[in-house]
């Protein structure tokens, strides 16, 4: 085991040269390098990080998004106290984001990993399976939302038609309308994409892994499950971490699908999500930019936890070399 | 040199041979095929349902319901959606946004990845963290300040499609895509570049090649599989985006197709069959790109630097 | 991008730092300033007026185009260039649109929703236009085109569409139903319909259509507490936890058992099929429901009655009739041309042209040609003319953000759990202060 991980680390480390090489760069090289790094970094910082920091500042203000600086009123943490104490949608949103996360971690993500593992066995028709399952990722969220609306429609939808639950008076299931059901219905639709996405990422990871590992384990008479748990899975630690982070971030950022299904007009009971609340408060005619930003900061802080732990996990190794 | 050429190809070519040697027809294989077939079919059901709906007429479905045998199948809805929503025009908008955005993202992230993977400057770690973390931020977080910033940045007319501002310009939307997506790509590309042996660039350096030549003539060509994979993903993400297209444009005719398609969904009247047709039409370009680049897709997506 | 040097920070208090940083990030953009800047790059063409339109549906799109073409024909060289945006997206983005580089003239709604932007200084007053078109419009329409805060005109109306309770004449005849006069009759009729196997109240507020719920609430409130109370409530001046609002919810609760199954997951377009195929009884909705009737004979069978009386003091005085029209942006590139366009849009000719294509609405212009109106339209015109007060609609008479983010979610919750109405009203009241500040 240790041999394997060490080997992987050595490869990673081998890419980084000794510091002696740097000295051989000419002045012109340095300028070129500076531009190569400087322009993308500047763009990224100016368009992503500066607005993020401004949003943090705005979260302590009251502003309807109209007019100049004079119309922005500093109100301290009032937005936060409103959010935590008054707003009837905030805590449900947090709860739904958590359910989303747990659901993703428990079902579509492991299923995607499982599919990838099966598809990696170099069997026939693998490209057909791969393509068919990957298709949902190719389609935009707007289209996905539309497709699932036609599936969940109470009268004409595919599900109710098959189950025979489209008869008012008898059994009648409102998948997207019932506030106890709609989150689960949307989660199924989201999983359709998530599992496919994870499958492709993990497949890429598996293809990159050393195949001799698995063969060696198989020859030793280990069962498939044992091979996977003891050899493949631990050897894929970097990709596992990516999968975990992707899953967490996708759960927190979940937006498009619900936005399409629940509509742009306000929030639907049962489908409150932080990203939706942010969009509803910031976009639109009479926006509460300060309050929306405060919600955004909460989401940011929650997102930063996995982002940072992941960043540290991934780069700790490199720091050592 | 030979060693290098094998690196990107290793993942594809060496394994199937090794596995094929042990291949026998086992019941487990049959079970596996049945399982995968069922899964693939289940995954296709929603799409097939949409296709079926799109091929039926409104009169047919409003009379018999959607869950019924079609009286006739027709491409009428596709024709109508194509014309009614002015799809060709919006397709063009999407191309104008997606193509430069994908190319620029790849160029920028390759530059940064080259830097962080080939040179051991102190800022490498920080840069990677900055880009990776930035990529993971929820876009709603930055929209208000970004919009205000875009209103303040003047652009010459040829760059701003006439608005004179970063706001409401293709350029502005392209830039935010590039800024956002370069995080993930930098990460993937730097991992990929780390697998390229160092002796290569070292030899070039001895020959007196400049840094730029090392980047342009040695490293970039070797990263082709990774570019193919990333280009596929980027095209899917950028083409499918409707958030930036919605928020950063005010000229309806300039919006990309994913934002424009909603106009098929009438305020007061909706024809599901028509919308299904329009929606499926919008998915064709990404589907084509995926199918075209599929072979390189999986092998090029090196996410962890763990190749043996 | 002037960012403060770190050394400066300690000397500034927190608030100034905040402002400096905000300024640095571009928040200092003053509306109008940006528009001026862009005016320089795109030299204003004196022969073109830009026209922002939310009429993205097939009919309105075609109708506006016809109006603009007709304008170009008689204007002596002046053309209007339309910028059609998706209906929903246009509203979603209106804030940035108006602060960015808006078109000269654009489509919008009357009521608080127009006044909001007038008060925010994002519109140009058009009193001079009204000097010329004023004679065309009745007083109620004139009042709605003004901002009561400053007394100026801002709005040129084109049409409205009343809300009522729509039903099928043949169905009522067949089953021997009579049009209910009071709310009790209304509920009794619903009960009878249910017994006959019909869905008494056809409703659809699924997907993004929670706004459909507002129509019922508006009428219930105006019938129970009168027009003035309703307006004050909408403007944030009355308390939502008032007994009067609780009474409204209690009446609403009596209606809920008779709602069509699946109302919270259907769009009204799908729900209205029950009216078309006569499996449903009555639908509280606007004139636009006519668009669901693709068969002419069915459409001619469609009729409506006023939402029944609850409190005899208020009878059925108030009618909900949202009015659409046009506004002039703050810094139009071609102000003279824009005013000529607005003048034309206020003419009977423009209205006739529009309504000849999009016939699901009613003319508001006294001089418009109504000779081609069908029975339903004629009745609707009379219905609006007889109204003592005209309300616009929940999200037009009030702060739209408040309605969308606070009231609509609460109502959607209420329909699913009617027993929570008291706590929902308390929640609305406690969030109100975020939107209405005195």
């Amino acid at each position: 085991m240790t041999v394997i991980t060490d080997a992987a680390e050595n490869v990673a480390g081998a890419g980084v040269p000794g510091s002696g090489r740097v000295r051989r760069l000419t002045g012109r090289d340095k300028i070129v390098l500076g531009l190569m790094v400087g322009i993308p970094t500047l763009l990224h910082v100016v368009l992503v990080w500066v607005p993020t920091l401004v949003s943090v500042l705005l979260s302590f203000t009251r502003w309807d998004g109209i007019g100049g600086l004079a119309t922005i009123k500093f109100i301290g943490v009032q937005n936060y106290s409103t959010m935590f104490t008054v707003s009837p949608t905030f805590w449900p949103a947090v709860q739904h984001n958590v359910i989303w996360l747990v659901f993703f971690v428990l079902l579509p993500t492991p299923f995607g990993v499982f599919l990838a593992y099966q598809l990696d066995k170099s069997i026939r028709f693998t490209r057909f399976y791969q393509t068919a399952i990957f298709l949902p990722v190719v389609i935009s969220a707007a289209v996905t939302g539309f497709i699932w609306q036609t599936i969940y429609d109470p009268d004409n939808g595919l599900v109710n038609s098959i189950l025979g639950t489209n008869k008012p008076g008898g059994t009648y299931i409102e998948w997207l309308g019932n506030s106890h059901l709609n989150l689960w219905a949307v989660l199924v639709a989201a999983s359709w994409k998530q599992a496919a996405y994870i499958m492709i990422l993990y497949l890429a990871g598996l293809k990159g892994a050393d195949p001799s590992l698995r063969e060696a384990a198989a020859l030793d008479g280990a069962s498939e499950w044992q091979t996977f748990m003891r050899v493949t899975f631990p050897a894929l630690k970097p990709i596992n971490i990516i999968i975990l982070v992707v899953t967490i971030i996708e759960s927190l950022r979940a937006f498009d699908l619900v936005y399409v299904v629940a509509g742009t007009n306000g929030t639907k009971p049962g489908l409150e999500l932080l990203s939706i609340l942010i969009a509803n408060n910031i976009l639109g005619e009479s926006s509460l930019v300060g309050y929306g930003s405060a919600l955004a900061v909460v989401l940011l802080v929650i997102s930063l936890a996995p982002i940072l732990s992941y960043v540290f996990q991934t780069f700790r190794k490199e720091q050592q070399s | 040199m030979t060693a290098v050429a094998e690196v990107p190809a290793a993942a594809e070519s060496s394994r199937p041979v090794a596995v094929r040697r042990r291949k026998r027809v086992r019941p487990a294989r049959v079970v596996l095929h049945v399982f995968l077939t069922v899964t693939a079919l289940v995954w296709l059901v929603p799409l097939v349902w949409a296709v079926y709906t799109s091929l039926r007429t409104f009169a047919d479905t409003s009379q018999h319901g959607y869950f019924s045998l079609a009286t006739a199948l027709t491409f009428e809805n596709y024709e109508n959606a194509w014309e009614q929503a002015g799809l060709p025009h919006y397709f063009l908008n999407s191309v104008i946004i997606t193509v430069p955005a994908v190319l620029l993202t790849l160029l920028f992230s390759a530059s940064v990845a080259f830097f962080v993977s080939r040179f051991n400057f102190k800022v490498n770690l920080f840069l990677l963290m900055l880009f990776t973390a930035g990529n993971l931020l929820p876009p709603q977080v930055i929209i208000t300040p970004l919009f205000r910033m875009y209103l303040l940045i003047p652009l010459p007319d040829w760059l701003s499609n006439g608005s004179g501002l970063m706001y409401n310009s293709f350029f502005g939307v392209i830039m935010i895509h590039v800024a956002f997506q370069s995080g993930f790509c930098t990460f993937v590309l730097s991992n990929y570049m780390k697998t390229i042996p160092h002796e290569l660039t070292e030899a070039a350096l001895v020959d007196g090649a400049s840094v730029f030549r090392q980047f342009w003539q040695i490293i970039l060509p070797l990263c082709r599989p990774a570019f193919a994979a990333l280009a596929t993903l980027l095209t899917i993400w950028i083409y499918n985006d409707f958030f930036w297209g919605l928020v950063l444009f005010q000229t309806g005719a300039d919006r990309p197709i994913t934002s424009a398609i909603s106009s098929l969904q009438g305020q007061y009247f909706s024809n599901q069959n028509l919308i299904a047709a329009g929606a499926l039409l919008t998915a064709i370009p990404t589907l084509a790109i995926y199918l075209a680049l599929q072979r390189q897709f999986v092998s090029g997506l090196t996410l962890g630097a763990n190749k043996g | 991008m002037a960012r403060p040097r770190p050394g400066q920070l300690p000397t500034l208090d927190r608030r100034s730092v905040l402002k400096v940083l905000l300024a640095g990030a571009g928040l200092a953009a003053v509306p109008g300033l940006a528009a001026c800047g862009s005016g320089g790059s795109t030299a204003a063409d004196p022969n073109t007026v830009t026209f922002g339109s939310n009429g993205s549906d097939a009919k309105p799109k075609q109708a506006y185009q016809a109006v603009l073409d007709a304008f170009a024909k008689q204007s002596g060289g002046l053309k209007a260039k339309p910028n059609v945006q998706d209906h929903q997206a246009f509203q979603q983005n209106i804030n940035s649109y108006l602060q960015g580089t808006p078109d000269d003239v654009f489509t919008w709604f009357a009521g608080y929703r127009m006044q909001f932007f007038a008060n925010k200084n994002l519109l140009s007053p058009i009193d001079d236009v009204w000097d010329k078109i004023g004679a065309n419009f009745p007083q109620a329409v004139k009042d709605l085109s003004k901002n009561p805060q400053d007394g100026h005109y801002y709005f040129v109306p084109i049409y409205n569409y009343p809300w009522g309770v729509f039903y099928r004449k043949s169905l009522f005849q067949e089953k021997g139903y009579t049009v209910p006069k009071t709310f009790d009759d209304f509920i009794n009729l619903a009960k009878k319909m249910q017994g006959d196997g019909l869905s008494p109240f056809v409703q659809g507020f699924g997907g993004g259509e929670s706004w459909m719920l507002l129509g019922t609430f508006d009428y219930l409130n105006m019938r129970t507490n009168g027009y003035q109370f309703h307006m004050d409530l909408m403007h944030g001046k009355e308390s939502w936890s008032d007994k009067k609002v609780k009474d409204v919810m209690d009446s609403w609760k009596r209606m809920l058992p008779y709602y069509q199954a699946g109302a919270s997951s259907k769009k009204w377009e799908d729900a209205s099929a029950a009216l078309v195929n006569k499996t449903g009884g009555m639908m509280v909705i606007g004139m636009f429901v006519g668009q669901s009737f693709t068969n002419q004979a069915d459409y001619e069978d469609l009729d409506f009655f006023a939402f029944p009386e609850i409190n005899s003091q208020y009878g059925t005085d108030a009618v909900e009739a949202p009015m659409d029209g046009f506004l002039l942006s703050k810094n139009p590139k071609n102000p003279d041309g824009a005013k000529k366009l607005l003048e034309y849009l206020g003419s009977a000719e423009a209205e006739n042209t529009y309504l000849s294509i999009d016939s699901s609405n009613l003319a508001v212009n006294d001089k418009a040609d109504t000779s081609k109106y069908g029975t339903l339209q004629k009745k609707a015109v009379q219905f609006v003319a007889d109204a003592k007060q005209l309300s616009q609609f929940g999200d037009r008479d009030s702060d739209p953000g408040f309605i969308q983010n606070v009231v609509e979610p609460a109502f959607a919750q209420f329909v699913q759990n009617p027993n929570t109405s008291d706590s929902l009203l308390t929640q609305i009241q406690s969030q109100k202060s975020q939107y209405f500040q005195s």
Side-chain angles (χ1 to χ4, degrees):
Chain A
M1 276 321 245
T2 43
V3 181
I4 297 154
T5 15
D6 282 352
E9 274 174 12
N10 284 339
V11 175
V16 184
S19 56
R21 202 152 291 118
V22 178
R23 256 178 278 124
R24 276 187 264 161
L25 293 172
T26 64
R28 205 169 141 256
D29 283 346
K30 281 182 185 156
I31 293 174
V32 169
L33 274 179
L35 288 176
M36 282 172 69
V37 173
I39 295 173
T41 309
L42 188 74
L43 184 76
H44 185 74
V45 168
V46 169
L47 293 190
V48 177
W49 285 105
V50 170
T52 305
L53 293 180
V54 174
S55 278
V56 174
L57 292 177
L58 282 174
S59 73
F60 299 101
T61 67
R62 186 206 301 279
W63 191 36
D64 59 11
I66 298 175
L69 276 187
T71 55
I72 303 177
K73 230 172 102 194
F74 184 78
I75 53 165
V77 296
Q78 198 184 312
N79 286 324
Y80 291 92
S81 62
T82 306
M83 186 193 321
F84 294 136
T85 57
V86 178
S87 163
T89 43
F90 175 72
W91 290 111
V94 171
Q95 190 195 342
H96 296 150
N97 271 106
V98 170
I99 292 177
W100 196 292
L101 175 64
V102 172
F103 186 87
F104 263 28
V105 168
L106 289 181
L107 288 170
T109 303
F111 188 66
V113 170
F114 178 71
L115 282 175
Y117 190 73
Q118 301 306 329
L119 285 171
D120 189 42
K121 287 180 178 165
S122 84
I123 46 168
R124 275 158 171 256
F125 314 122
T126 181
R127 210 172 286 291
F128 164 73
Y129 298 137
Q130 216 174 295
T131 309
I133 298 171
F134 188 69
L135 278 182
V137 182
V138 172
I139 298 166
S140 70
V143 178
T144 314
F146 166 74
I147 289 177
W148 285 90
Q149 274 174 342
T150 65
I151 288 177
Y152 285 134
D153 185 278
D155 298 322
N156 292 309
L158 188 60
V159 181
N160 270 3
S161 300
I162 290 174
L163 296 178
T165 46
N166 55 351
K167 295 170 193 71
T171 41
Y172 191 71
I173 305 179
E174 294 188 62
W175 296 101
L176 294 176
N178 184 326
S179 58
H180 301 291
L181 278 180
N182 50 12
L183 182 66
W184 303 103
V186 169
L187 276 172
V188 169
S191 302
W192 184 57
K193 272 195 160 179
Q194 174 73 4
Y197 184 39
I198 294 298
M199 172 198 78
I200 223 80
L201 289 183
Y202 210 78
L203 195 55
L206 284 170
K207 297 269 188 216
D210 188 348
S212 58
L213 296 177
R214 201 157 87 179
E215 281 170 34
L219 289 179
D220 286 349
S223 75
E224 202 174 337
W225 176 245
Q226 284 170 326
T227 312
F228 179 77
M229 284 312 286
R230 292 200 200 149
V231 184
T232 319
F233 193 74
L236 285 171
K237 194 174 166 211
I239 181 86
N240 292 338
I241 294 171
I242 292 179
I243 297 292
L244 189 63
V245 172
V246 165
T247 305
I248 295 172
I249 294 298
E250 291 291 315
S251 323
L252 294 177
R253 284 212 298 207
F255 173 75
D256 299 15
L257 194 58
V258 174
Y259 198 65
V260 176
V261 168
T264 50
N265 252 356
T267 48
K268 275 264 169 287
L271 284 177
E272 297 94 344
L273 288 175
L274 286 174
S275 56
I276 297 285
L277 295 186
I278 297 170
N280 283 338
N281 279 291
I282 286 184
L283 305 176
E285 292 163 55
S286 66
S287 29
L288 298 179
V289 173
Y291 181 69
S293 300
L295 284 163
V297 169
V298 170
L299 183 56
L300 181 67
V301 170
I302 302 176
S303 311
L304 277 181
I307 291 176
L308 287 181
S309 68
Y310 154 72
V311 163
F312 283 123
Q313 280 269 3
T314 320
F315 300 119
R316 206 180 37 202
K317 277 191 312 207
E318 296 184 23
Q319 213 164 21
Q320 287 161 357
S321 63
Chain B
M1 263 326 207
T2 43
V4 179
E6 267 176 30
V7 170
E12 264 303 304
S13 62
S14 68
R15 300 187 46 252
V17 183
V19 182
R20 212 170 291 140
R21 245 180 275 133
R22 301 187 294 109
K23 198 178 145 194
R24 272 170 284 138
V25 182
R26 286 173 299 170
R29 270 291 138 109
V30 179
V31 172
L32 179 58
H33 274 289
V34 170
F35 165 73
L36 286 173
T37 309
V38 169
T39 308
L41 290 180
V42 168
W43 247 246
L44 283 175
V45 162
L47 282 170
V48 172
W49 176 246
V51 172
Y52 181 57
T53 304
S54 72
L55 290 172
R56 304 178 64 183
T57 61
F58 183 69
D60 177 16
T61 47
S62 52
Q63 195 186 341
H64 304 106
Y66 287 85
F67 193 71
S68 59
L69 274 182
T71 48
L73 296 179
T74 158
F75 283 102
E76 205 178 287
N77 292 313
Y78 287 87
E79 284 167 36
N80 289 342
W82 185 261
E83 279 161 31
Q84 198 172 316
L87 289 188
H89 174 79
Y90 293 107
F91 265 127
L92 184 67
N93 289 346
S94 285
V95 171
I96 294 175
I97 293 169
T98 310
V99 173
V102 170
L103 294 179
L104 266 182
T105 309
L106 290 179
L107 178 71
F108 280 9
S109 11
S111 304
V112 179
F114 175 66
F115 182 81
V116 297
S117 65
R118 313 298 289 183
F119 298 90
N120 192 18
F121 291 122
K122 288 270 183 287
V123 290
N124 288 3
L125 181 66
F126 172 75
L127 271 184
L128 261 188
M129 282 166 68
L130 184 82
F131 274 91
T132 318
N135 180 231
L136 300 173
L137 293 173
Q140 294 86 26
V141 170
I142 66 170
I143 184 57
T144 309
L146 190 78
F147 161 68
R148 285 311 186 103
M149 197 191 284
Y150 269 34
L151 270 184
L152 281 189
I153 304 176
L155 282 185
D157 268 1
W158 62 274
L159 256 185
S160 66
N161 35 316
S163 76
L165 293 172
M166 189 95 161
Y167 172 63
N168 198 26
S169 74
F170 287 125
F171 183 74
V173 176
I174 292 170
M175 281 303 125
I176 189 64
H177 279 306
V178 174
F180 239 96
Q181 303 296 357
S182 48
F184 178 77
C185 294
T186 304
F187 174 72
V188 173
L189 282 172
S190 69
N191 278 334
Y192 199 87
M193 288 182 190
K194 278 174 196 159
T195 65
I196 299 173
H198 227 77
E199 291 71 31
L200 251 186
T201 40
E202 210 156 301
L205 207 59
V206 172
D207 290 346
S210 69
V211 163
F212 186 72
R213 271 192 63 191
Q214 288 179 40
F215 172 64
W216 198 254
Q217 295 188 334
I218 300 173
I219 300 295
L220 284 195
L222 287 176
C223 289
R224 239 179 260 146
F227 283 145
L230 287 175
T232 313
L233 275 182
L234 283 175
T235 308
I236 293 173
W237 288 333
I238 296 175
Y239 176 90
N240 282 343
D241 161 76
F242 79 104
F243 186 70
W244 299 119
L246 182 73
V247 187
L248 295 178
F249 276 120
Q250 71 165 46
T251 309
D254 285 345
R255 291 219 168 95
I257 195 158
T258 36
S259 311
I261 192 71
S262 52
S263 67
L264 277 180
Q265 193 131 18
Q267 181 197 7
Y268 293 136
F269 179 73
S270 287
N271 178 340
Q272 299 282 318
N273 315 51
L274 181 72
I275 301 169
L280 289 169
L281 280 174
T282 65
I284 290 175
T286 42
L287 190 61
I289 298 261
Y290 172 67
L291 292 177
L293 296 179
Q294 192 188 25
R295 201 169 282 275
Q296 289 89 341
F297 183 65
V298 167
S299 62
L301 202 66
T302 317
L303 290 162
N306 57 340
K307 205 179 270 183
Chain C
M1 285 309 310
R3 249 174 284 159
R5 276 172 284 129
Q8 282 179 324
L9 294 183
T11 61
L12 298 167
D13 67 311
R14 208 169 27 164
R15 210 167 292 193
S16 321
V17 174
L18 177 79
K19 288 199 169 168
V20 171
L21 282 170
L22 292 174
L27 284 157
V30 182
L33 199 113
C36 292
S38 74
S41 62
T42 324
D45 175 357
N47 290 324
T48 306
V49 182
T50 51
F51 177 77
S53 160
N54 66 357
S56 56
D57 291 4
K59 279 272 164 90
K61 196 169 164 182
Q62 210 186 331
Y64 279 131
Q65 191 58 54
V67 172
L68 297 184
D69 288 346
F71 169 68
K73 242 177 243 164
Q74 57 83 58
S75 66
L78 198 58
K79 288 191 310 281
K81 194 176 140 220
N83 168 22
V84 184
Q85 300 201 53
D86 173 57
H87 192 87
Q88 205 63 40
F90 187 78
Q91 270 137 266
Q92 197 79 47
N93 274 332
I94 186 74
N95 223 327
S96 20
Y97 173 76
L98 292 180
Q99 293 186 82
T101 50
D103 300 297
D104 297 347
V105 175
F106 61 95
T107 53
W108 200 242
F109 318 109
Y112 187 94
R113 223 166 163 176
M114 169 269 282
Q115 296 160 22
F116 178 78
F117 290 126
N119 292 332
K120 289 283 174 189
N121 238 339
L122 291 170
L123 306 175
S124 302
I126 48 167
D127 297 308
D128 42 351
V129 173
W130 271 89
D131 286 343
K132 291 172 188 151
I133 62 172
N136 296 344
F137 296 98
Q139 194 55 40
V141 171
K142 276 185 185 169
D143 291 345
L144 279 167
S145 305
K146 251 188 217 169
N147 178 13
Q149 298 239 20
D150 63 9
H152 290 300
Y153 282 104
Y154 287 93
F155 186 82
V156 173
I158 183 147
Y159 61 72
N160 66 10
Y161 49 92
W163 278 59
V165 186
F166 285 78
Y167 69 98
R168 295 289 293 272
K169 282 182 278 194
S170 60
L171 183 75
F172 269 49
Q173 228 157 28
E174 201 180 297
K175 306 269 186 187
Y177 301 144
T178 49
V179 167
K181 291 281 171 238
T182 67
F183 193 69
D184 289 330
D185 293 348
F186 196 38
I187 298 296
N188 287 334
L189 176 59
K191 199 184 236 166
K192 210 188 279 173
M193 285 177 171
Q194 198 169 52
D196 291 342
L198 297 170
S199 301
F201 294 125
V202 179
Q203 273 289 346
F205 40 87
E209 295 184 341
S210 303
W211 58 272
M212 282 300 293
L213 289 166
L214 298 170
T216 304
F217 175 82
D218 292 348
Y219 267 133
L220 281 170
N221 195 22
M222 290 192 292
R223 297 290 181 257
T224 312
N225 302 311
Y227 175 80
Q228 199 50 48
F229 178 84
H230 178 62
M231 284 300 143
D232 290 345
L233 183 72
M234 289 286 129
H235 293 182
K237 290 177 195 154
E238 291 282 352
S239 166
W240 281 78
S241 36
D242 195 305
K243 165 89 170 50
K244 288 179 162 179
V245 188
K246 287 186 179 149
D247 290 344
V248 172
M249 302 311 268
D250 286 341
S251 300
W252 201 350
K253 270 183 218 167
R254 291 176 63 195
M255 291 176 72
L256 290 181
Y258 306 106
Y259 268 25
Q260 183 182 14
S264 26
S265 38
K266 275 188 233 190
K267 302 193 165 193
W268 76 258
E269 293 95 327
D270 301 326
S272 62
L275 215 51
V276 178
N277 62 28
K278 297 199 209 173
T279 56
M282 311 171 268
M283 188 167 193
V284 180
I285 198 166
M287 277 281 282
F288 52 81
V289 70
Q291 300 192 18
S292 294
F293 290 78
T294 40
N295 180 341
Q296 188 59 29
D298 285 345
Y299 181 67
E300 275 159 23
D301 187 40
L302 184 67
D303 199 357
F304 73 94
F305 54 85
F307 196 94
E309 171 184 313
I310 294 176
N311 180 338
S312 58
Q313 191 187 340
Y314 307 112
T316 57
D317 292 354
V319 166
E320 184 130 276
M323 187 161 78
D324 290 3
F326 314 94
L327 298 171
L328 180 60
S329 61
K330 181 69 193 164
N331 288 302
K333 291 193 188 107
N334 183 354
D336 298 335
K339 283 186 177 170
K340 278 199 189 107
L341 175 62
L342 284 169
E343 220 176 279
Y344 180 74
L345 291 169
S347 71
E349 187 192 333
E351 181 136 67
N352 291 340
T353 311
Y354 185 92
L355 293 173
S356 68
I357 294 169
D358 183 5
S359 55
S360 54
N361 295 301
L362 298 179
V364 285
N365 194 315
D366 278 341
K367 301 193 172 129
D369 174 20
T370 53
S371 60
K372 292 197 192 81
Y373 276 12
T375 342
L376 187 71
Q377 277 168 309
K378 279 191 182 132
K379 180 169 173 181
V381 169
Q382 199 53 46
F383 182 58
V384 175
D386 292 346
K388 295 223 175 75
Q389 302 103 6
L390 290 180
S391 62
Q392 290 302 289
F393 194 68
D395 60 10
R396 300 182 179 201
D397 284 324
S398 182
D399 181 300
F402 171 65
I403 295 293
Q404 279 182 23
N405 293 326
V406 176
V407 177
E408 282 177 17
F411 284 174
Q413 192 73 257
F414 164 75
V415 178
Q416 298 213 350
N417 308 298
N419 295 328
T420 56
S421 67
D422 282 3
S423 71
L424 289 171
L425 290 177
T426 316
Q427 280 171 10
I428 295 178
Q429 177 61 19
S430 63
Q431 291 176 89
K432 198 182 76 179
S433 63
Q434 278 187 295
Y435 295 87
F436 300 96
Q437 286 130 35
S438 42

